[in-house]
Amino acid sequence: MQPNRINHPELEAVLASLVAELQNLLDDQLLAVYLSGSIALGDWDDASDVDFMVVLKDELDLAQLAGLQALHAAIYALPSVWAQHLEGSYISQVLVRRADPNKTQLWYLDNGSSQLSLSTHDNELVMRWTVREYGIALFGPPATSLIEPIDPAELRQEIRNTMHDWAAEMRDGQYSITNQWAQAFTVISYCRMLQSLATGRIHSKRAGVAWALAKLAPKWHPLIEAAWANRPNPSLKYRTAADPALVDESLAFVRACLALAPR
């Protein structure tokens, strides 16, 4: 573990328990455990979740999967709020090395969950790039030995696709931004994605907001600033309805972002 990059004893204790239990359960099947997301990018705070990636020698078998389900239930029950805010996936060394055009589902732990489920959430270049360039190795070799360099053009194309596909889900009612968390998260995420299109790199939420305030039209600044101010206490915000006027403005902002990023 690299405590100098985390500097949070309570979280470090949760992560140490996770790594120790993974080693006991998986033995030589376990190749690496990395931290990703905001904690790796350097802008983690008390409103963040804790993103991780576990790289495996081979695909999980049924016994290993059952053991992991029990392991995550036990970690979730630890007396720390951070034990309930881990989020990450399990991926084989073959699959993690480069882009997966098949979008294979991975065993994934969602923020706030105690059990793994199948999801494509982390099977993307954005996650591979973040782990390769900034990942904190809690166990195993540097991520550069397991993940090939990622072409910025391919990264940008994935981000454009995400922007348009997500907007289509909002339009079709598959993704709702009518709670305060989703409304703010959407605005901040589109700021980040526009910044990544400009730089060919992945940046934190804080950096994305700062970039957007410097680069986008002033008419969007109050919406962006309100979204950032609304980040604390995400579990409460998820259960609280968003102002309908902010929802409408957020959808207009998404459309404006798509105009800047044609597919």
Side-chain angles (χ1 to χ4, degrees):
M1 192 176 296
Q2 303 173 36
N4 60 310
R5 290 186 62 185
I6 302 173
N7 195 28
H8 194 297
E10 182 180 333
L11 174 56
E12 289 172 31
V14 171
L15 294 172
S17 295
L18 173 65
V19 172
E21 293 299 326
L22 288 173
Q23 288 177 284
N24 289 337
L25 175 67
L26 298 175
D27 196 20
D28 61 358
Q29 165 78 317
L30 180 67
L31 294 185
V33 183
Y34 302 109
L35 293 183
S36 182
S38 57
I39 196 167
L41 292 167
D43 273 335
W44 174 74
D45 60 28
D46 286 347
S48 303
D49 54 16
V50 180
D51 295 287
F52 69 88
M53 173 186 280
V54 176
V55 182
L56 304 166
K57 182 178 178 181
D58 300 300
E59 298 294 336
L60 294 168
D61 61 32
L62 292 178
Q64 290 166 343
L65 177 59
L68 284 174
Q69 298 288 28
L71 183 159
H72 280 292
I75 293 291
Y76 187 89
L78 292 175
S80 168
V81 66
W82 297 110
Q84 291 89 52
H85 291 289
L86 302 178
E87 179 175 319
S89 292
Y90 291 79
I91 188 168
S92 71
Q93 62 178 332
V94 171
L95 204 55
V96 80
R97 183 157 293 278
R98 59 185 65 88
D100 172 23
N102 296 322
K103 293 294 183 182
T104 306
Q105 289 187 317
L106 309 177
W107 286 106
Y108 166 70
L109 183 75
D110 196 6
N111 180 23
S113 178
S114 64
Q115 292 288 280
L116 301 169
S117 59
L118 284 170
S119 172
T120 61
H121 186 277
D122 289 338
N123 191 1
E124 55 184 16
L125 288 179
V126 167
M127 174 63 87
R128 289 172 175 82
W129 189 96
T130 306
V131 171
R132 188 181 194 280
E133 301 297 327
Y134 286 100
I136 300 173
L138 303 180
F139 174 83
T144 51
S145 69
L146 296 173
I147 304 174
E148 292 180 353
I150 294 166
D151 183 347
E154 292 184 19
L155 184 65
R156 286 186 172 101
Q157 188 57 53
E158 180 183 271
I159 292 167
R160 287 191 196 94
N161 290 342
T162 297
M163 293 174 72
H164 285 267
D165 292 346
W166 191 5
E169 290 177 2
M170 294 180 215
R171 183 193 63 224
D172 297 341
Q174 296 172 289
Y175 185 88
S176 172
I177 64 168
T178 56
N179 66 75
Q180 290 186 12
W181 177 86
Q183 179 269 318
F185 176 73
T186 299
V187 171
I188 293 169
S189 295
Y190 274 83
C191 291
R192 291 181 74 190
M193 290 188 286
L194 283 180
Q195 184 186 22
S196 289
L197 291 182
T199 65
R201 303 175 65 83
I202 305 304
H203 306 272
S204 69
K205 294 181 179 71
R206 185 187 301 275
V209 165
W211 180 91
L213 291 173
K215 300 292 186 179
L216 299 184
K219 71 175 184 177
W220 300 117
H221 292 187
L223 176 71
I224 295 167
E225 290 167 342
W228 183 255
N230 209 32
R231 281 188 71 244
N233 201 349
S235 60
L236 174 62
K237 302 296 171 53
Y238 187 82
R239 302 191 302 272
T240 305
D243 181 338
L246 274 181
V247 171
D248 290 343
E249 189 177 5
S250 299
L251 294 173
F253 177 68
V254 168
R255 292 192 292 271
C257 291
L258 296 185
L260 297 173
R263 201 197 292 262

PDB file of all heavy atoms in Angstrom, residues 199-231:
ATOM      1  N   THR A 199      -8.026  17.121 -23.996  1.00  0.00           N
ATOM      2  CA  THR A 199      -6.650  16.793 -23.579  1.00  0.00           C
ATOM      3  C   THR A 199      -6.205  15.386 -23.948  1.00  0.00           C
ATOM      4  O   THR A 199      -4.996  15.113 -23.952  1.00  0.00           O
ATOM      5  CB  THR A 199      -6.508  16.948 -22.058  1.00  0.00           C
ATOM      6  OG1 THR A 199      -7.338  15.967 -21.402  1.00  0.00           O
ATOM      7  CG2 THR A 199      -6.905  18.346 -21.607  1.00  0.00           C
ATOM      8  N   GLY A 200      -7.148  14.479 -24.204  1.00  0.00           N
ATOM      9  CA  GLY A 200      -6.788  13.086 -24.435  1.00  0.00           C
ATOM     10  C   GLY A 200      -6.383  12.357 -23.174  1.00  0.00           C
ATOM     11  O   GLY A 200      -5.737  11.305 -23.235  1.00  0.00           O
ATOM     12  N   ARG A 201      -6.767  12.882 -22.022  1.00  0.00           N
ATOM     13  CA  ARG A 201      -6.437  12.306 -20.722  1.00  0.00           C
ATOM     14  C   ARG A 201      -7.687  12.296 -19.846  1.00  0.00           C
ATOM     15  O   ARG A 201      -8.669  12.987 -20.140  1.00  0.00           O
ATOM     16  CB  ARG A 201      -5.326  13.111 -20.026  1.00  0.00           C
ATOM     17  CG  ARG A 201      -4.054  13.218 -20.846  1.00  0.00           C
ATOM     18  CD  ARG A 201      -3.014  14.123 -20.168  1.00  0.00           C
ATOM     19  NE  ARG A 201      -2.570  13.544 -18.904  1.00  0.00           N
ATOM     20  CZ  ARG A 201      -1.619  12.604 -18.798  1.00  0.00           C
ATOM     21  NH1 ARG A 201      -1.037  12.136 -19.886  1.00  0.00           N
ATOM     22  NH2 ARG A 201      -1.253  12.141 -17.625  1.00  0.00           N
ATOM     23  N   ILE A 202      -7.638  11.532 -18.751  1.00  0.00           N
ATOM     24  CA  ILE A 202      -8.743  11.500 -17.790  1.00  0.00           C
ATOM     25  C   ILE A 202      -8.396  12.406 -16.616  1.00  0.00           C
ATOM     26  O   ILE A 202      -7.258  12.406 -16.125  1.00  0.00           O
ATOM     27  CB  ILE A 202      -8.996  10.067 -17.294  1.00  0.00           C
ATOM     28  CG1 ILE A 202      -9.234   9.136 -18.482  1.00  0.00           C
ATOM     29  CG2 ILE A 202     -10.194  10.032 -16.342  1.00  0.00           C
ATOM     30  CD1 ILE A 202     -10.364   9.549 -19.401  1.00  0.00           C
ATOM     31  N   HIS A 203      -9.371  13.168 -16.176  1.00  0.00           N
ATOM     32  CA  HIS A 203      -9.173  14.124 -15.093  1.00  0.00           C
ATOM     33  C   HIS A 203     -10.219  13.905 -14.008  1.00  0.00           C
ATOM     34  O   HIS A 203     -11.241  13.267 -14.227  1.00  0.00           O
ATOM     35  CB  HIS A 203      -9.267  15.558 -15.627  1.00  0.00           C
ATOM     36  CG  HIS A 203      -8.347  15.841 -16.768  1.00  0.00           C
ATOM     37  ND1 HIS A 203      -7.053  16.271 -16.586  1.00  0.00           N
ATOM     38  CD2 HIS A 203      -8.525  15.714 -18.108  1.00  0.00           C
ATOM     39  CE1 HIS A 203      -6.471  16.424 -17.768  1.00  0.00           C
ATOM     40  NE2 HIS A 203      -7.344  16.096 -18.701  1.00  0.00           N
ATOM     41  N   SER A 204      -9.980  14.474 -12.847  1.00  0.00           N
ATOM     42  CA  SER A 204     -10.906  14.343 -11.724  1.00  0.00           C
ATOM     43  C   SER A 204     -12.143  15.209 -11.939  1.00  0.00           C
ATOM     44  O   SER A 204     -12.180  16.085 -12.812  1.00  0.00           O
ATOM     45  CB  SER A 204     -10.214  14.767 -10.429  1.00  0.00           C
ATOM     46  OG  SER A 204      -9.973  16.169 -10.444  1.00  0.00           O
ATOM     47  N   LYS A 205     -13.156  14.976 -11.116  1.00  0.00           N
ATOM     48  CA  LYS A 205     -14.355  15.814 -11.165  1.00  0.00           C
ATOM     49  C   LYS A 205     -14.005  17.271 -10.892  1.00  0.00           C
ATOM     50  O   LYS A 205     -14.477  18.177 -11.579  1.00  0.00           O
ATOM     51  CB  LYS A 205     -15.383  15.322 -10.136  1.00  0.00           C
ATOM     52  CG  LYS A 205     -15.973  13.949 -10.405  1.00  0.00           C
ATOM     53  CD  LYS A 205     -16.986  13.578  -9.334  1.00  0.00           C
ATOM     54  CE  LYS A 205     -17.609  12.208  -9.589  1.00  0.00           C
ATOM     55  NZ  LYS A 205     -16.626  11.116  -9.355  1.00  0.00           N
ATOM     56  N   ARG A 206     -13.184  17.513  -9.878  1.00  0.00           N
ATOM     57  CA  ARG A 206     -12.801  18.886  -9.527  1.00  0.00           C
ATOM     58  C   ARG A 206     -12.107  19.566 -10.712  1.00  0.00           C
ATOM     59  O   ARG A 206     -12.394  20.726 -11.036  1.00  0.00           O
ATOM     60  CB  ARG A 206     -11.870  18.874  -8.312  1.00  0.00           C
ATOM     61  CG  ARG A 206     -11.520  20.276  -7.797  1.00  0.00           C
ATOM     62  CD  ARG A 206     -10.462  20.195  -6.703  1.00  0.00           C
ATOM     63  NE  ARG A 206     -10.905  19.394  -5.582  1.00  0.00           N
ATOM     64  CZ  ARG A 206     -11.635  19.845  -4.570  1.00  0.00           C
ATOM     65  NH1 ARG A 206     -12.012  21.118  -4.556  1.00  0.00           N
ATOM     66  NH2 ARG A 206     -11.988  19.053  -3.579  1.00  0.00           N
ATOM     67  N   ALA A 207     -11.196  18.841 -11.354  1.00  0.00           N
ATOM     68  CA  ALA A 207     -10.490  19.409 -12.493  1.00  0.00           C
ATOM     69  C   ALA A 207     -11.441  19.676 -13.656  1.00  0.00           C
ATOM     70  O   ALA A 207     -11.313  20.691 -14.358  1.00  0.00           O
ATOM     71  CB  ALA A 207      -9.366  18.467 -12.932  1.00  0.00           C
ATOM     72  N   GLY A 208     -12.402  18.768 -13.868  1.00  0.00           N
ATOM     73  CA  GLY A 208     -13.367  18.958 -14.941  1.00  0.00           C
ATOM     74  C   GLY A 208     -14.218  20.191 -14.728  1.00  0.00           C
ATOM     75  O   GLY A 208     -14.497  20.944 -15.681  1.00  0.00           O
ATOM     76  N   VAL A 209     -14.629  20.428 -13.494  1.00  0.00           N
ATOM     77  CA  VAL A 209     -15.420  21.620 -13.174  1.00  0.00           C
ATOM     78  C   VAL A 209     -14.587  22.881 -13.400  1.00  0.00           C
ATOM     79  O   VAL A 209     -15.061  23.859 -14.007  1.00  0.00           O
ATOM     80  CB  VAL A 209     -15.944  21.540 -11.730  1.00  0.00           C
ATOM     81  CG1 VAL A 209     -16.443  22.892 -11.242  1.00  0.00           C
ATOM     82  CG2 VAL A 209     -17.052  20.497 -11.636  1.00  0.00           C
ATOM     83  N   ALA A 210     -13.355  22.890 -12.933  1.00  0.00           N
ATOM     84  CA  ALA A 210     -12.491  24.063 -13.113  1.00  0.00           C
ATOM     85  C   ALA A 210     -12.263  24.344 -14.595  1.00  0.00           C
ATOM     86  O   ALA A 210     -12.291  25.503 -15.034  1.00  0.00           O
ATOM     87  CB  ALA A 210     -11.158  23.837 -12.396  1.00  0.00           C
ATOM     88  N   TRP A 211     -12.044  23.286 -15.377  1.00  0.00           N
ATOM     89  CA  TRP A 211     -11.835  23.453 -16.816  1.00  0.00           C
ATOM     90  C   TRP A 211     -13.080  24.047 -17.462  1.00  0.00           C
ATOM     91  O   TRP A 211     -13.001  24.975 -18.285  1.00  0.00           O
ATOM     92  CB  TRP A 211     -11.503  22.098 -17.440  1.00  0.00           C
ATOM     93  CG  TRP A 211     -11.257  22.150 -18.911  1.00  0.00           C
ATOM     94  CD1 TRP A 211     -10.059  22.339 -19.550  1.00  0.00           C
ATOM     95  CD2 TRP A 211     -12.251  22.027 -19.945  1.00  0.00           C
ATOM     96  NE1 TRP A 211     -10.248  22.334 -20.920  1.00  0.00           N
ATOM     97  CE2 TRP A 211     -11.585  22.144 -21.188  1.00  0.00           C
ATOM     98  CE3 TRP A 211     -13.625  21.818 -19.939  1.00  0.00           C
ATOM     99  CZ2 TRP A 211     -12.252  22.069 -22.402  1.00  0.00           C
ATOM    100  CZ3 TRP A 211     -14.297  21.756 -21.154  1.00  0.00           C
ATOM    101  CH2 TRP A 211     -13.612  21.880 -22.369  1.00  0.00           C
ATOM    102  N   ALA A 212     -14.253  23.507 -17.113  1.00  0.00           N
ATOM    103  CA  ALA A 212     -15.496  23.973 -17.720  1.00  0.00           C
ATOM    104  C   ALA A 212     -15.763  25.439 -17.395  1.00  0.00           C
ATOM    105  O   ALA A 212     -16.217  26.205 -18.255  1.00  0.00           O
ATOM    106  CB  ALA A 212     -16.661  23.105 -17.257  1.00  0.00           C
ATOM    107  N   LEU A 213     -15.476  25.834 -16.167  1.00  0.00           N
ATOM    108  CA  LEU A 213     -15.692  27.231 -15.790  1.00  0.00           C
ATOM    109  C   LEU A 213     -14.741  28.169 -16.535  1.00  0.00           C
ATOM    110  O   LEU A 213     -15.063  29.336 -16.769  1.00  0.00           O
ATOM    111  CB  LEU A 213     -15.527  27.405 -14.279  1.00  0.00           C
ATOM    112  CG  LEU A 213     -16.619  26.756 -13.419  1.00  0.00           C
ATOM    113  CD1 LEU A 213     -16.264  26.850 -11.945  1.00  0.00           C
ATOM    114  CD2 LEU A 213     -17.986  27.394 -13.687  1.00  0.00           C
ATOM    115  N   ALA A 214     -13.596  27.668 -16.921  1.00  0.00           N
ATOM    116  CA  ALA A 214     -12.635  28.480 -17.680  1.00  0.00           C
ATOM    117  C   ALA A 214     -12.920  28.483 -19.175  1.00  0.00           C
ATOM    118  O   ALA A 214     -12.594  29.457 -19.866  1.00  0.00           O
ATOM    119  CB  ALA A 214     -11.212  27.974 -17.428  1.00  0.00           C
ATOM    120  N   LYS A 215     -13.540  27.395 -19.687  1.00  0.00           N
ATOM    121  CA  LYS A 215     -13.640  27.232 -21.133  1.00  0.00           C
ATOM    122  C   LYS A 215     -15.047  27.373 -21.708  1.00  0.00           C
ATOM    123  O   LYS A 215     -15.197  27.725 -22.881  1.00  0.00           O
ATOM    124  CB  LYS A 215     -13.110  25.844 -21.522  1.00  0.00           C
ATOM    125  CG  LYS A 215     -11.656  25.587 -21.157  1.00  0.00           C
ATOM    126  CD  LYS A 215     -10.706  26.433 -21.972  1.00  0.00           C
ATOM    127  CE  LYS A 215      -9.255  26.053 -21.691  1.00  0.00           C
ATOM    128  NZ  LYS A 215      -8.316  26.867 -22.497  1.00  0.00           N
ATOM    129  N   LEU A 216     -16.074  27.079 -20.918  1.00  0.00           N
ATOM    130  CA  LEU A 216     -17.429  27.080 -21.464  1.00  0.00           C
ATOM    131  C   LEU A 216     -18.101  28.439 -21.287  1.00  0.00           C
ATOM    132  O   LEU A 216     -17.665  29.269 -20.480  1.00  0.00           O
ATOM    133  CB  LEU A 216     -18.259  25.985 -20.801  1.00  0.00           C
ATOM    134  CG  LEU A 216     -17.742  24.551 -20.987  1.00  0.00           C
ATOM    135  CD1 LEU A 216     -18.715  23.554 -20.371  1.00  0.00           C
ATOM    136  CD2 LEU A 216     -17.479  24.230 -22.452  1.00  0.00           C
ATOM    137  N   ALA A 217     -19.184  28.621 -22.013  1.00  0.00           N
ATOM    138  CA  ALA A 217     -19.887  29.910 -22.004  1.00  0.00           C
ATOM    139  C   ALA A 217     -20.342  30.275 -20.596  1.00  0.00           C
ATOM    140  O   ALA A 217     -20.802  29.405 -19.836  1.00  0.00           O
ATOM    141  CB  ALA A 217     -21.090  29.834 -22.943  1.00  0.00           C
ATOM    142  N   PRO A 218     -20.262  31.550 -20.227  1.00  0.00           N
ATOM    143  CA  PRO A 218     -20.640  31.980 -18.871  1.00  0.00           C
ATOM    144  C   PRO A 218     -22.064  31.624 -18.479  1.00  0.00           C
ATOM    145  O   PRO A 218     -22.351  31.466 -17.285  1.00  0.00           O
ATOM    146  CB  PRO A 218     -20.448  33.504 -18.925  1.00  0.00           C
ATOM    147  CG  PRO A 218     -19.391  33.713 -19.973  1.00  0.00           C
ATOM    148  CD  PRO A 218     -19.653  32.655 -21.007  1.00  0.00           C
ATOM    149  N   LYS A 219     -22.957  31.473 -19.450  1.00  0.00           N
ATOM    150  CA  LYS A 219     -24.348  31.167 -19.089  1.00  0.00           C
ATOM    151  C   LYS A 219     -24.466  29.827 -18.366  1.00  0.00           C
ATOM    152  O   LYS A 219     -25.447  29.594 -17.649  1.00  0.00           O
ATOM    153  CB  LYS A 219     -25.245  31.179 -20.319  1.00  0.00           C
ATOM    154  CG  LYS A 219     -25.036  30.015 -21.288  1.00  0.00           C
ATOM    155  CD  LYS A 219     -26.077  30.069 -22.398  1.00  0.00           C
ATOM    156  CE  LYS A 219     -25.961  28.877 -23.340  1.00  0.00           C
ATOM    157  NZ  LYS A 219     -27.027  28.898 -24.371  1.00  0.00           N
ATOM    158  N   TRP A 220     -23.472  28.933 -18.555  1.00  0.00           N
ATOM    159  CA  TRP A 220     -23.508  27.634 -17.893  1.00  0.00           C
ATOM    160  C   TRP A 220     -22.850  27.649 -16.517  1.00  0.00           C
ATOM    161  O   TRP A 220     -22.975  26.680 -15.779  1.00  0.00           O
ATOM    162  CB  TRP A 220     -22.826  26.566 -18.755  1.00  0.00           C
ATOM    163  CG  TRP A 220     -23.436  26.364 -20.094  1.00  0.00           C
ATOM    164  CD1 TRP A 220     -22.844  26.574 -21.309  1.00  0.00           C
ATOM    165  CD2 TRP A 220     -24.767  25.932 -20.386  1.00  0.00           C
ATOM    166  NE1 TRP A 220     -23.711  26.295 -22.330  1.00  0.00           N
ATOM    167  CE2 TRP A 220     -24.901  25.884 -21.792  1.00  0.00           C
ATOM    168  CE3 TRP A 220     -25.861  25.563 -19.601  1.00  0.00           C
ATOM    169  CZ2 TRP A 220     -26.087  25.501 -22.420  1.00  0.00           C
ATOM    170  CZ3 TRP A 220     -27.040  25.174 -20.230  1.00  0.00           C
ATOM    171  CH2 TRP A 220     -27.140  25.146 -21.609  1.00  0.00           C
ATOM    172  N   HIS A 221     -22.164  28.708 -16.179  1.00  0.00           N
ATOM    173  CA  HIS A 221     -21.384  28.720 -14.935  1.00  0.00           C
ATOM    174  C   HIS A 221     -22.242  28.522 -13.682  1.00  0.00           C
ATOM    175  O   HIS A 221     -21.860  27.745 -12.788  1.00  0.00           O
ATOM    176  CB  HIS A 221     -20.563  30.006 -14.836  1.00  0.00           C
ATOM    177  CG  HIS A 221     -19.467  30.080 -15.853  1.00  0.00           C
ATOM    178  ND1 HIS A 221     -18.519  31.088 -15.856  1.00  0.00           N
ATOM    179  CD2 HIS A 221     -19.148  29.265 -16.898  1.00  0.00           C
ATOM    180  CE1 HIS A 221     -17.682  30.890 -16.872  1.00  0.00           C
ATOM    181  NE2 HIS A 221     -18.051  29.795 -17.518  1.00  0.00           N
ATOM    182  N   PRO A 222     -23.394  29.194 -13.540  1.00  0.00           N
ATOM    183  CA  PRO A 222     -24.204  28.949 -12.320  1.00  0.00           C
ATOM    184  C   PRO A 222     -24.636  27.495 -12.182  1.00  0.00           C
ATOM    185  O   PRO A 222     -24.641  26.942 -11.080  1.00  0.00           O
ATOM    186  CB  PRO A 222     -25.405  29.887 -12.506  1.00  0.00           C
ATOM    187  CG  PRO A 222     -24.897  30.973 -13.397  1.00  0.00           C
ATOM    188  CD  PRO A 222     -23.954  30.296 -14.350  1.00  0.00           C
ATOM    189  N   LEU A 223     -25.000  26.850 -13.288  1.00  0.00           N
ATOM    190  CA  LEU A 223     -25.400  25.436 -13.242  1.00  0.00           C
ATOM    191  C   LEU A 223     -24.234  24.564 -12.797  1.00  0.00           C
ATOM    192  O   LEU A 223     -24.402  23.667 -11.947  1.00  0.00           O
ATOM    193  CB  LEU A 223     -25.876  24.999 -14.624  1.00  0.00           C
ATOM    194  CG  LEU A 223     -26.249  23.516 -14.772  1.00  0.00           C
ATOM    195  CD1 LEU A 223     -27.543  23.225 -14.021  1.00  0.00           C
ATOM    196  CD2 LEU A 223     -26.383  23.147 -16.253  1.00  0.00           C
ATOM    197  N   ILE A 224     -23.054  24.811 -13.341  1.00  0.00           N
ATOM    198  CA  ILE A 224     -21.874  24.010 -13.003  1.00  0.00           C
ATOM    199  C   ILE A 224     -21.475  24.231 -11.544  1.00  0.00           C
ATOM    200  O   ILE A 224     -21.179  23.275 -10.810  1.00  0.00           O
ATOM    201  CB  ILE A 224     -20.708  24.357 -13.956  1.00  0.00           C
ATOM    202  CG1 ILE A 224     -21.071  23.952 -15.388  1.00  0.00           C
ATOM    203  CG2 ILE A 224     -19.420  23.678 -13.516  1.00  0.00           C
ATOM    204  CD1 ILE A 224     -20.151  24.531 -16.448  1.00  0.00           C
ATOM    205  N   GLU A 225     -21.478  25.484 -11.110  1.00  0.00           N
ATOM    206  CA  GLU A 225     -21.120  25.784  -9.720  1.00  0.00           C
ATOM    207  C   GLU A 225     -22.119  25.165  -8.750  1.00  0.00           C
ATOM    208  O   GLU A 225     -21.740  24.653  -7.685  1.00  0.00           O
ATOM    209  CB  GLU A 225     -21.042  27.302  -9.532  1.00  0.00           C
ATOM    210  CG  GLU A 225     -19.845  27.929 -10.249  1.00  0.00           C
ATOM    211  CD  GLU A 225     -19.925  29.449 -10.329  1.00  0.00           C
ATOM    212  OE1 GLU A 225     -21.054  29.994 -10.149  1.00  0.00           O
ATOM    213  OE2 GLU A 225     -18.888  30.080 -10.577  1.00  0.00           O
ATOM    214  N   ALA A 226     -23.406  25.197  -9.098  1.00  0.00           N
ATOM    215  CA  ALA A 226     -24.430  24.588  -8.232  1.00  0.00           C
ATOM    216  C   ALA A 226     -24.250  23.077  -8.159  1.00  0.00           C
ATOM    217  O   ALA A 226     -24.424  22.462  -7.097  1.00  0.00           O
ATOM    218  CB  ALA A 226     -25.826  24.933  -8.749  1.00  0.00           C
ATOM    219  N   ALA A 227     -23.879  22.447  -9.281  1.00  0.00           N
ATOM    220  CA  ALA A 227     -23.660  21.004  -9.286  1.00  0.00           C
ATOM    221  C   ALA A 227     -22.503  20.633  -8.368  1.00  0.00           C
ATOM    222  O   ALA A 227     -22.591  19.665  -7.598  1.00  0.00           O
ATOM    223  CB  ALA A 227     -23.387  20.519 -10.710  1.00  0.00           C
ATOM    224  N   TRP A 228     -21.430  21.409  -8.422  1.00  0.00           N
ATOM    225  CA  TRP A 228     -20.287  21.114  -7.548  1.00  0.00           C
ATOM    226  C   TRP A 228     -20.653  21.332  -6.079  1.00  0.00           C
ATOM    227  O   TRP A 228     -20.287  20.521  -5.216  1.00  0.00           O
ATOM    228  CB  TRP A 228     -19.090  21.969  -7.929  1.00  0.00           C
ATOM    229  CG  TRP A 228     -17.883  21.647  -7.102  1.00  0.00           C
ATOM    230  CD1 TRP A 228     -17.352  22.378  -6.087  1.00  0.00           C
ATOM    231  CD2 TRP A 228     -17.099  20.449  -7.182  1.00  0.00           C
ATOM    232  NE1 TRP A 228     -16.269  21.730  -5.539  1.00  0.00           N
ATOM    233  CE2 TRP A 228     -16.091  20.554  -6.199  1.00  0.00           C
ATOM    234  CE3 TRP A 228     -17.145  19.326  -7.995  1.00  0.00           C
ATOM    235  CZ2 TRP A 228     -15.144  19.537  -5.999  1.00  0.00           C
ATOM    236  CZ3 TRP A 228     -16.198  18.325  -7.806  1.00  0.00           C
ATOM    237  CH2 TRP A 228     -15.227  18.442  -6.820  1.00  0.00           C
ATOM    238  N   ALA A 229     -21.392  22.372  -5.793  1.00  0.00           N
ATOM    239  CA  ALA A 229     -21.783  22.665  -4.410  1.00  0.00           C
ATOM    240  C   ALA A 229     -22.713  21.594  -3.863  1.00  0.00           C
ATOM    241  O   ALA A 229     -22.817  21.426  -2.640  1.00  0.00           O
ATOM    242  CB  ALA A 229     -22.461  24.032  -4.338  1.00  0.00           C
ATOM    243  N   ASN A 230     -23.378  20.842  -4.739  1.00  0.00           N
ATOM    244  CA  ASN A 230     -24.369  19.848  -4.318  1.00  0.00           C
ATOM    245  C   ASN A 230     -23.765  18.466  -4.088  1.00  0.00           C
ATOM    246  O   ASN A 230     -24.486  17.516  -3.787  1.00  0.00           O
ATOM    247  CB  ASN A 230     -25.479  19.750  -5.373  1.00  0.00           C
ATOM    248  CG  ASN A 230     -26.808  19.334  -4.771  1.00  0.00           C
ATOM    249  OD1 ASN A 230     -27.108  19.656  -3.623  1.00  0.00           O
ATOM    250  ND2 ASN A 230     -27.611  18.635  -5.536  1.00  0.00           N
ATOM    251  N   ARG A 231     -22.433  18.306  -4.216  1.00  0.00           N
ATOM    252  CA  ARG A 231     -21.818  16.987  -4.091  1.00  0.00           C
ATOM    253  C   ARG A 231     -21.874  16.391  -2.681  1.00  0.00           C
ATOM    254  O   ARG A 231     -22.042  15.181  -2.548  1.00  0.00           O
ATOM    255  CB  ARG A 231     -20.344  17.051  -4.524  1.00  0.00           C
ATOM    256  CG  ARG A 231     -20.146  17.054  -6.022  1.00  0.00           C
ATOM    257  CD  ARG A 231     -18.676  16.928  -6.348  1.00  0.00           C
ATOM    258  NE  ARG A 231     -18.178  15.611  -6.047  1.00  0.00           N
ATOM    259  CZ  ARG A 231     -17.251  15.338  -5.131  1.00  0.00           C
ATOM    260  NH1 ARG A 231     -16.720  16.295  -4.397  1.00  0.00           N
ATOM    261  NH2 ARG A 231     -16.841  14.096  -4.937  1.00  0.00           N
TER     262      ARG A 231
END
